[in-house]
Amino acid sequence: MDVEERTRVELPAGVGDRYEVYVNGVRQEPGRDFDRVGGVLVFNRTLAHEGRLGPIRWLSMLLGIAGTYRKHDTVDVVYEVDGRRTVASLTPSETAGV
């Protein structure tokens, strides 16, 4: 059975119906790039989130042997709170078959 990988992003409290979503600075369109299910955005593709770096990775960076060049997608939501524009940077979480 082939399961489509999707990514979930939980919205902060207070995000109403008027908001904008950006992935890596590129505006996303509802219905095409993502769907909103309650307080969660569900993207139609997998977004990567670089996890914590282990001690070997830190040591190699400290010694100048390697850097951190892993894929890391950023999700920003722009919305209004009390008439002021607010930007929330959110962490994607991968979900199979959402």
Side-chain angles (χ1 to χ4, degrees):
M1 178 178 215
D2 204 13
V3 176
E4 184 178 333
E5 294 291 324
R6 296 185 180 195
T7 302
R8 294 171 29 105
V9 176
E10 301 219 12
L11 290 170
V15 175
D17 294 334
R18 296 182 56 176
Y19 58 93
E20 299 170 7
V21 177
Y22 297 86
V23 174
N24 300 328
V26 178
R27 183 153 182 188
Q28 305 295 293
E29 295 297 324
R32 185 187 71 191
D33 300 311
F34 68 91
D35 294 307
R36 182 174 180 175
V37 180
V40 176
L41 300 179
V42 180
F43 288 86
N44 300 327
R45 65 183 188 280
T46 302
L47 300 177
H49 176 68
E50 181 177 22
R52 295 177 55 106
L53 299 176
I56 300 291
R57 191 75 171 172
W58 275 111
L59 179 61
S60 67
M61 286 174 19
L62 181 66
L63 297 174
I65 298 169
T68 101
Y69 301 106
R70 298 185 208 169
K71 186 167 169 63
H72 181 79
D73 293 313
T74 59
V75 178
D76 296 316
V77 176
V78 180
Y79 62 104
E80 286 193 20
V81 174
D82 297 327
R84 302 180 97 178
R85 281 176 62 95
T86 303
V87 178
S89 293
L90 308 174
T91 303
S93 61
E94 194 172 304
T95 306
V98 173

